[in-house]
Amino acid sequence: MANSPSGESVISRVVRLMSAFDRDLPAMTLSGLARRAGLPLTTAHRLVDDLVLHGLIERLPDGNLCSGMRMWELAARGSRALNLRELALPFMEDVQAAVHQHTTLAVLDHGTVLYVERLSSPHSSLDAAHIAQRMPIHAASSGLVLLAFSPPAVQAEVLAKPLKAVTPETITGPALIRKHLAEIRQRGYVALPGIGVTEWTGIAVPVFGPGNSAAAALNAIVPRQEAAVPLIVPALLTAAHGISRALKSAQPEGQADFRNR
Amino acid sequence: MANSPSGESVISRVVRLMSAFDRDLPAMTLSGLARRAGLPLTTAHRLVDDLVLHGLIERLPDGNLCSGMRMWELAARGSRALNLRELALPFMEDVQAAVHQHTTLAVLDHGTVLYVERLSSPHSSLDAAHIAQRMPIHAASSGLVLLAFSPPAVQAEVLAKPLKAVTPETITGPALIRKHLAEIRQRGYVALPGIGVTEWTGIAVPVFGPGNSAAAALNAIVPRQEAAVPLIVPALLTAAHGISRALKSAQPEGQADFRNR
């Protein structure tokens, strides 16, 4: 099927092109796009013409290219991420109204934490945990709470791989992580300072879907010297209960869950 | 490039496959997917295998296929829709806290209204204006307000096409629409009952970006017998000012705007 001389499929090359756009660089020239995608200019040119035709890439008035509204629409319409965040958003607003901090919702996906929603605190300088960003599971409170409430096989798979330190405080030893996971299961939440970004503490609780493992993690991110952590936990637990209830009634047992390894 | 015997490109067939997933049917079998996409089973099979490999489609535990988290991530990371809604969301929350009604944010895209964000009123039964849904421009308050503050060439293009009635109250005559557009420009808002969904009134105001035309429409949707319409307009205008200010400081003049015809 439709492979280049290198044997790479059109789909693979399209993924490379679309991956070139991100939060920091949402628009670029064709040659910049080809370079970031690692594709020859002629190949990129041909594919981009077709992607523009379908609205997946758009040409801006200044001639730069950017990800198209059609691309977002195609992905959003059938998206479980969007369904999950639609159910969760009212409860996340409740949390933010109560604690005035960044509030995020994350899932496990392909061995990493993927943030599917975030409400930002307008006075916060945190530049992490943006929507559609990923973090290593062991370097995020959301990741640890999702792992703690994952099946043993998932835990074993994640902990079998070499774990890199993101900050000096990231926990990288599998045995120590297992100890933390047991504690998280017992307490029902995690609050570890500096494991992902030195200056911040993530406080995360599990959201359960119809199954027994966590469907998502609800997370507040606070400055690490914040004294209010004990007060934030009950707010998160309350909202997470609400989201779980909404998930279970929207998605009866036996149907696909939102989690994806 | 990579065309089928019918001359259709891989990208075109992938768009057909991904378009098959939507809010009402987010997961289906391979043969169901092939049927909805209008592709031969063998073609769908081959493409789906490659899409699954890249995480753009996912196989659920029950064997059904659904749109993948990677698809959402790819589209979301570089998305102007997401940037726009991130800026707008805090102001939309303010509106919702004040008026307790569905609040949406929409843009013009490819000759239709595309809803990029929505905060729902939990007690409302409205089943329209969902995120990533589209409406004809002339049959939505958001569309009329976006059209009113569009360049004359855009207005002419939209009004030159045959306009279908979505409800008995949809305005389809170009001359009458032009009269409404002039009124909207003068008043700064629109509130027309039943033009898109009989039981509802959309109240919409423009959000301006760095240019002079509307970058988005902010919209509250209320039951048509709602008496509070005059009170909702100032709430929307206030929030729209805030979003415009945020847009202009995030996106200095001369850069690409969010609007896309």
Side-chain angles (χ1 to χ4, degrees):
Chain A
M1 167 185 53
N3 285 358
S4 70
S6 67
E8 195 183 10
S9 75
V10 170
I11 290 169
S12 169
R13 284 172 281 159
V14 166
V15 167
R16 288 218 253 159
L17 285 170
M18 298 310 300
S19 302
F21 300 108
D22 64 20
R23 192 182 168 78
D24 299 321
L25 196 61
M28 62 197 88
T29 61
L30 176 64
S31 59
L33 178 56
R35 201 166 44 242
R36 272 171 74 103
L39 291 174
L41 188 58
T42 48
T43 306
H45 194 358
R46 232 174 26 230
L47 289 169
V48 164
D49 275 353
D50 204 9
L51 289 165
V52 168
L53 189 72
H54 288 90
L56 304 187
I57 285 182
E58 282 166 17
R59 246 185 268 280
L60 296 168
D62 64 4
N64 276 345
L65 300 164
C66 69
S67 181
M69 283 281 177
R70 260 299 272 162
M71 177 72 194
W72 172 82
E73 180 195 7
L74 262 193
R77 284 198 322 174
S79 160
R80 292 168 303 142
L82 197 68
N83 296 342
L84 176 58
R85 63 74 76 181
E86 258 191 69
L87 289 173
L89 197 57
F91 300 99
M92 294 179 67
E93 288 169 23
D94 296 345
V95 169
Q96 224 206 4
V99 309
H100 305 290
Q101 302 285 359
H102 286 307
T103 310
T104 69
L105 190 74
V107 297
L108 284 195
D109 181 73
H110 290 85
T112 65
V113 173
L114 176 65
Y115 294 95
V116 296
E117 186 52 279
R118 157 170 150 159
L119 295 180
S120 299
S121 163
H123 305 296
S124 170
S125 63
L126 176 71
D127 190 30
H130 291 290
I131 295 172
Q133 272 196 347
R134 291 181 183 265
M135 276 290 278
I137 293 174
H138 65 289
S141 295
S142 296
L144 290 177
V145 97
L146 284 162
L147 197 60
F149 294 95
S150 282
V154 175
Q155 296 177 358
E157 199 188 321
V158 169
L159 299 179
K161 290 179 189 149
L163 303 172
K164 266 177 65 178
V166 171
T167 71
E169 287 165 297
T170 311
I171 307 158
T172 54
L176 190 52
I177 292 178
R178 283 197 182 278
K179 203 171 140 257
H180 277 287
L181 297 183
E183 257 183 51
I184 293 167
R185 275 191 299 273
Q186 200 217 315
R187 284 191 196 165
Y189 73 92
V190 64
L192 285 169
I195 62 168
V197 183
T198 301
E199 300 79 12
W200 299 85
T201 298
I203 311 162
V205 304
V207 171
F208 293 97
N212 279 320
S213 41
L218 183 66
N219 180 32
I221 307 174
V222 305
R224 65 180 296 156
Q225 56 281 59
E226 174 68 53
V229 170
L231 305 177
I232 290 172
V233 172
L236 288 175
L237 287 171
T238 305
H241 263 280
I243 301 171
S244 297
R245 196 175 56 242
L247 269 182
K248 284 171 187 169
S249 62
Q251 202 185 27
E253 187 106 31
Q255 278 200 31
D257 67 24
F258 286 105
R259 200 171 43 80
N260 185 58
R261 270 160 258 152
Chain B
M1 168 185 51
N3 285 1
S4 71
S6 66
E8 195 184 9
S9 73
V10 170
I11 290 169
S12 168
R13 284 173 280 157
V14 166
V15 167
R16 286 219 253 158
L17 285 170
M18 298 309 302
S19 303
F21 300 108
D22 63 20
R23 191 181 171 81
D24 298 321
L25 196 62
M28 63 198 88
T29 61
L30 176 64
S31 59
L33 178 57
R35 199 165 46 241
R36 272 171 75 102
L39 292 174
L41 189 57
T42 48
T43 307
H45 194 358
R46 233 175 25 228
L47 289 169
V48 165
D49 275 353
D50 204 10
L51 289 165
V52 168
L53 189 73
H54 288 91
L56 304 187
I57 285 182
E58 283 167 17
R59 245 186 269 280
L60 296 167
D62 64 4
N64 276 347
L65 300 165
C66 68
S67 181
M69 283 280 177
R70 260 298 272 163
M71 177 73 193
W72 173 81
E73 180 194 6
L74 262 192
R77 283 199 321 174
S79 160
R80 291 168 304 143
L82 196 68
N83 296 342
L84 176 58
R85 62 74 78 181
E86 257 190 72
L87 289 173
L89 195 56
F91 300 99
M92 295 179 67
E93 288 170 24
D94 296 346
V95 169
Q96 222 205 5
V99 308
H100 306 290
Q101 301 284 1
H102 286 307
T103 311
T104 68
L105 190 74
V107 298
L108 285 195
D109 181 73
H110 289 85
T112 65
V113 174
L114 176 65
Y115 294 96
V116 296
E117 185 53 278
R118 157 168 150 160
L119 295 182
S120 300
S121 164
H123 305 295
S124 170
S125 62
L126 175 72
D127 191 29
H130 290 290
I131 295 173
Q133 272 196 347
R134 291 180 182 267
M135 276 291 277
I137 292 174
H138 65 290
S141 295
S142 297
L144 290 176
V145 98
L146 284 162
L147 197 59
F149 294 96
S150 282
V154 175
Q155 296 176 359
E157 198 189 323
V158 169
L159 298 179
K161 291 180 190 148
L163 303 173
K164 266 177 64 176
V166 172
T167 70
E169 288 165 295
T170 311
I171 308 157
T172 55
L176 189 52
I177 292 179
R178 283 196 181 279
K179 202 172 141 258
H180 276 287
L181 297 184
E183 255 183 52
I184 294 168
R185 273 192 299 274
Q186 199 216 316
R187 285 191 195 166
Y189 73 92
V190 65
L192 286 170
I195 61 167
V197 184
T198 301
E199 299 80 10
W200 299 85
T201 298
I203 310 159
V205 304
V207 171
F208 293 97
N212 278 323
S213 41
L218 183 66
N219 181 32
I221 308 172
V222 306
R224 67 181 293 157
Q225 57 280 61
E226 175 66 52
V229 171
L231 304 177
I232 290 172
V233 173
L236 288 176
L237 287 171
T238 305
H241 263 280
I243 302 171
S244 296
R245 197 175 55 240
L247 269 182
K248 284 174 187 169
S249 62
Q251 203 185 26
E253 187 106 33
Q255 279 197 32
D257 68 24
F258 287 104
R259 200 172 43 81
N260 186 58
R261 271 159 259 151

